[in-house]
Amino acid sequence: MRPGTPPVLQLTGVTKVYGEGETAVRALRGVSLRVERGDYVAIMGASGSGKSTLMNIIGCLDVPSGGTYYLDGTDVGALDERSLAIVRNRKLGFVFQAFNLIPRMSALANVELPLAYGGVKAAERRRRALAALDLVGLADRVHHQPNELSGGQQQRVAVARALVTAPTLLLADEPTGALDSKSSEDVMKIFDRLSASGRTLVVITHEEEVAAHAKRVVRLMDGQIVDDVRVTPVGGLPPRFAEVAP
Amino acid sequence: MNPVEVLRFALRGLSANKMRSALTMLGILIGVAAVILLVAIGEGSSRQIQQNIQQLGANTLTITPSTFGGGGGGGGIARVFARAGGGQRQNTGPRTQAKNLTVEDARALADPANAPSVKSVSPVVTAQAQTATYEGASHSIGQLVGTYPSYFEASNKPVAKGAYFYNDDVLAARKVVVIGKTVADDLFGTVDPIGKQITVSGVPFTVIGVLKETGSSGFQDADDVAIAPLPAVQQSLTGFGPLGQILVQAKSAQAVDAAQSEVTEVLNQRHGITDPANPDYRILNSASLQETVSAAIGTFTVLLGAVAAISLLVGGIGITNIMLVTVTERTREIGIRKAIGAPKGAILGQFLAEATMLSLVGGLLGVLIAVIGAQFTIAGVKPVIVPTSIALALGVSVAIGLFFGSYPANRAAGLRPIEALRFE
Ligand SMILES: Nc1ncnc2c1ncn2[C@@H]1O[C@H](COP(=O)(O)OP(=O)(O)O)[C@@H](O)[C@H]1O
Ligand SMILES: [Mg+2]
């Protein structure tokens, strides 16, 4: 690690409380987490342990109740709505469990969307979107609409959409939760390749099989980190990459 | 995101849900078309009635005999019996014998010393349903008028072909006639009627002119007329009895009221009317009739407009409904767009453009349909489009579309992405 480069992610004492009074739910109870550039982190935990809550905060989709959050050196809490939109667009790529593609728009149009919001010119946009779709192995499905694609294909379109802007951090919340094992394997291979090429990934999962792809595994319980294990070094290759390498 | 991009996104959004877009547009289309067409029908019937009134002539007073409360004199009796209610209308005051209108009355009215505001006076007799024939062709003339030359101007009946008759013709009781378009078409077809001789109830008349077509529709065909010199008609058809009416033309629009009081004074004196509230004649003032009818028609048009406005409102409620029904779906979509970094402005712009396009295209199609519909005669009325109704209907529809289209977008665009994504 070069000195002076800020960590991609620096959470300190982050808390999140849903609701108020007696019905208040303390989903996060002081989470501190630091993720360096190039790392591949799996966040594990039982259902209800606060994984999605944490991910939504990291993805700037939600705001924490307490604590600080630095993304790539900037204090996210101090950003206004405008700057937040730019951060989501340029620095973050989000893959949801439910795919969340926009219906009745072709795969290509879906992948182009973040570039359009980022002000990229039409021709350049198309070129990059096609490249991203090619990377996830869907070069022959670019004009299909989401309802004409299988779950695994939809999720790969979503991955292409998340990585097309070349974000600093790629986030995935149970990306294989709605997929069969074959499709899951496809998606995890893509993640391995992205990690091998130097991208920073944070993936949420409750499946050990998925977590085994990560360089580092963080375990969450009742809104707190209870375990943090490094499998391979930040600068190294992901543990399962050798198996998928051509 | 430049404006072109925003428009492209909006177009894509609309075409993504064609059925919904089409239905929304249809609601606006119907509302807009209804407003424009109904107002056009109101305006059309108003014009039509105005036109019919104008055929009475401009600045004219039509004097007809009246036997209301009749003293029971002379020729009045027949008319008293003709009116079912005549017998019950008991006189409220003393009244001398009702007198008929005569050519002498007309002559007195034409005297500038008596009636300085009067321009011309035309005594009129009419004979209904006279059969005219020409070389085997036969036509029943709706109204055969015997009068003086001034009648043409006063009653607003210009000659299109040939000539009027003149005072000489009247003095000599020449059997000449000016016929209306309907009569000319029926009797002569494509033949030029000028100079031809027709037979009216056995009496030969020479056609000297054809009246300009009035083109009016209505209960009576205003072109089914023939006009001949007064004595000629009296001699051969009606006899030298009382006049059917006297048509008085005032010198100007401003002089109509003055002329009316002058005429009243002369006739009251000549007919020995002691109770001015109960004379034996009636005066129809074309100007005041027009005013009254215009006011009534105005109310009618406002009513039609109100009905149309309600349909526009119903269309608007339809739009609101469709927009609200899709809030869930669109809110999720907005959540997704925000999650991938859409700025609030781009989202609002897209939805605003969508709503504007929907209502504008729907509205313009409605205008188109209304304009096409206005080419047809609807319920006997030729609609006349009022430009302000187009502007109003279009403006209101765009306003409705904008308001109800942007309402869900505005609310959703203000949510945090995760709230919009979770929206059910
Ligand atoms: N929008 C919300 N409102 C109230 N409580 C919530 C909300 N989202 C999550 N929670 C609660 O917060 C806790 C953590 O939820 P979540 O982060 O979704 O867990 P996980 O993703 O690990 O299953 C749960 O107890 C859940 O019920
Ligand atoms: Mg979850």
Side-chain angles (χ1 to χ4, degrees):
Chain A
M1 235 211 87
R2 277 170 296 145
T5 1
V8 172
L9 208 60
Q10 171 90 62
L11 298 175
T12 321
V14 167
T15 60
K16 179 72 186 178
V17 183
Y18 290 113
E20 279 166 26
E22 289 180 11
T23 56
V25 177
R26 294 177 64 203
L28 293 179
R29 305 165 183 244
V31 171
S32 298
L33 182 69
R34 183 187 164 100
V35 176
E36 302 297 342
R37 196 167 300 272
D39 208 352
Y40 183 0
V41 183
I43 296 179
M44 296 202 64
S47 181
S49 55
K51 304 185 297 293
S52 295
T53 303
L54 178 62
M55 190 60 110
N56 292 335
I57 289 169
I58 296 175
C60 296
L61 305 182
D62 209 348
V63 289
S65 306
T68 57
Y69 170 27
Y70 283 82
L71 176 69
D72 208 14
T74 30
D75 182 2
V76 172
L79 297 179
D80 61 3
E81 180 59 35
R82 259 178 94 86
S83 323
L84 269 180
I86 295 173
V87 165
R88 286 184 205 120
N89 188 256
R90 307 262 165 84
K91 303 213 169 188
L92 295 164
F94 215 118
V95 178
F96 300 89
Q97 179 174 357
F99 321 141
N100 276 347
L101 298 178
I102 295 182
R104 288 175 289 272
M105 262 172 74
S106 70
L108 183 63
N110 262 290
V111 177
E112 276 189 25
L113 207 54
L115 296 175
Y117 287 128
V120 178
K121 291 260 186 322
E124 167 75 357
R125 208 154 74 196
R126 170 166 283 254
R127 193 185 63 72
R128 281 168 68 176
L130 286 172
L133 281 163
D134 188 41
L135 192 79
V136 298
L138 284 176
D140 55 342
R141 293 280 191 283
V142 294
H143 296 299
H144 287 59
Q145 296 191 351
N147 59 354
E148 299 162 346
L149 297 169
S150 74
Q153 289 168 334
Q154 286 187 57
Q155 193 60 302
R156 281 189 277 154
V157 173
V159 172
R161 182 179 67 184
L163 62 85
V164 74
T165 52
T168 319
L169 178 63
L170 194 74
L171 299 167
D173 187 352
E174 309 229 19
T176 62
L179 302 182
D180 58 46
S181 55
K182 170 72 179 68
S183 301
S184 302
E185 200 51 40
D186 289 343
V187 170
M188 293 321 294
K189 274 181 194 165
I190 295 168
F191 282 177
D192 281 340
R193 277 215 306 278
L194 289 171
S195 175
S197 68
R199 296 233 166 274
T200 314
L201 287 90
V202 175
V203 178
I204 284 186
T205 184
H206 61 260
E207 299 168 56
E208 293 293 345
E209 177 55 29
V210 171
H213 287 258
K215 299 177 185 174
R216 173 184 171 196
V217 179
V218 174
R219 284 180 203 276
L220 216 56
M221 192 193 285
D222 291 336
Q224 278 174 312
I225 293 178
V226 291
D227 194 19
D228 190 344
V229 179
R230 174 153 303 285
V231 182
T232 48
V234 175
L237 289 174
R240 292 284 181 89
F241 185 68
E243 299 167 26
V244 300
Chain B
M1 291 287 281
N2 58 25
V4 182
E5 201 85 61
V6 171
L7 276 183
R8 281 228 329 246
F9 270 45
L11 262 182
R12 192 178 280 165
L14 290 181
S15 57
N17 216 325
K18 295 195 180 64
M19 190 65 180
R20 185 177 70 205
S21 306
L23 280 177
T24 313
M25 255 189 231
L26 192 68
I28 300 182
L29 184 156
I30 291 173
V32 168
V35 168
I36 297 173
L37 256 188
L38 286 182
V39 171
I41 289 174
E43 180 70 12
S45 49
S46 153
R47 293 259 176 105
Q48 195 166 311
I49 292 171
Q50 302 265 12
Q51 208 179 21
N52 286 352
I53 292 172
Q54 259 155 30
Q55 273 158 22
L56 291 176
N59 313 331
T60 56
L61 304 169
T62 308
I63 306 161
T64 49
S66 157
T67 51
F68 280 176
I77 286 179
R79 262 169 265 154
V80 168
F81 277 100
R83 290 176 190 280
Q88 286 137 331
R89 286 176 180 273
Q90 283 307 314
N91 201 347
T92 47
R95 162 109 172 248
T96 48
Q97 236 185 9
K99 284 186 175 137
N100 285 308
L101 294 172
T102 60
V103 177
E104 284 68 43
D105 286 333
R107 217 161 271 151
L109 294 174
D111 184 351
N114 291 337
S117 307
V118 170
K119 184 179 176 189
S120 73
V121 179
S122 319
V124 176
V125 292
T126 49
Q128 251 87 33
Q130 297 290 324
T131 308
T133 55
Y134 171 75
E135 290 188 349
S138 142
H139 173 79
S140 175
I141 301 173
Q143 214 179 22
L144 176 66
V145 176
T147 186
Y148 285 3
S150 55
Y151 180 81
F152 290 99
E153 190 201 330
S155 67
N156 199 11
K157 286 189 166 60
V159 163
K161 214 170 5 164
Y164 306 97
F165 52 79
Y166 302 101
N167 285 331
D168 285 352
D169 300 307
V170 175
L171 288 174
R174 275 190 201 115
K175 303 233 167 13
V176 292
V177 68
V178 177
I179 55 176
K181 185 85 166 50
T182 306
V183 180
D185 287 348
D186 260 26
L187 286 181
F188 296 97
T190 53
V191 180
D192 182 9
I194 308 298
K196 304 282 188 311
Q197 200 162 69
I198 61 171
T199 315
V200 181
S201 299
V203 183
F205 277 83
T206 307
V207 177
I208 55 166
V210 178
L211 293 173
K212 186 164 168 262
E213 189 178 5
T214 61
S216 86
S217 53
F219 309 108
Q220 232 179 359
D221 181 1
D223 291 317
D224 192 9
V225 290
I227 303 170
L230 177 69
V233 175
Q234 284 178 319
Q235 250 174 37
S236 50
L237 300 167
T238 63
F240 289 88
L243 296 175
Q245 55 172 233
I246 298 174
L247 191 62
V248 173
Q249 187 177 27
K251 282 191 167 138
S252 67
Q254 289 76 38
V256 175
D257 288 338
Q260 181 164 3
S261 52
E262 287 160 16
V263 165
T264 310
E265 199 175 315
V266 170
L267 286 181
N268 280 356
Q269 198 200 341
R270 285 184 56 83
H271 288 202
I273 305 295
T274 47
D275 174 16
N278 200 16
D280 58 0
Y281 60 89
R282 275 190 303 171
I283 300 178
L284 187 75
N285 184 329
S286 67
S288 61
L289 181 68
Q290 192 149 352
E291 260 170 47
T292 316
V293 174
S294 296
I297 288 293
T299 317
F300 175 62
T301 307
V302 167
L303 256 166
L304 276 182
V307 170
I310 290 173
S311 81
L312 190 62
L313 192 74
V314 171
I317 292 172
I319 297 162
T320 320
N321 197 16
I322 292 176
M323 293 295 185
L324 288 182
V325 162
T326 56
V327 159
T328 310
E329 182 188 330
R330 306 239 75 173
T331 304
R332 267 192 74 83
E333 181 186 326
I334 289 169
I336 299 171
R337 288 176 186 272
K338 289 201 82 165
I340 60 176
K344 190 175 174 180
I347 289 178
L348 274 184
Q350 174 193 339
F351 281 74
L352 240 61
E354 271 186 31
T356 314
M357 268 194 239
L358 265 189
S359 48
L360 203 62
V361 172
L364 287 174
L365 283 178
V367 171
L368 189 74
I369 300 259
V371 168
I372 292 173
Q375 306 307 309
F376 300 97
T377 303
I378 300 164
V381 175
K382 175 91 190 64
V384 176
I385 287 185
V386 184
T388 48
S389 75
I390 295 186
L392 196 77
L394 212 54
V396 168
S397 75
V398 170
I400 288 176
L402 267 186
F403 181 74
F404 292 112
S406 60
Y407 162 72
N410 204 352
R411 215 199 37 192
L415 293 176
R416 255 177 266 146
I418 197 67
E419 288 168 333
L421 276 171
R422 279 209 199 104
F423 190 88
E424 294 296 343

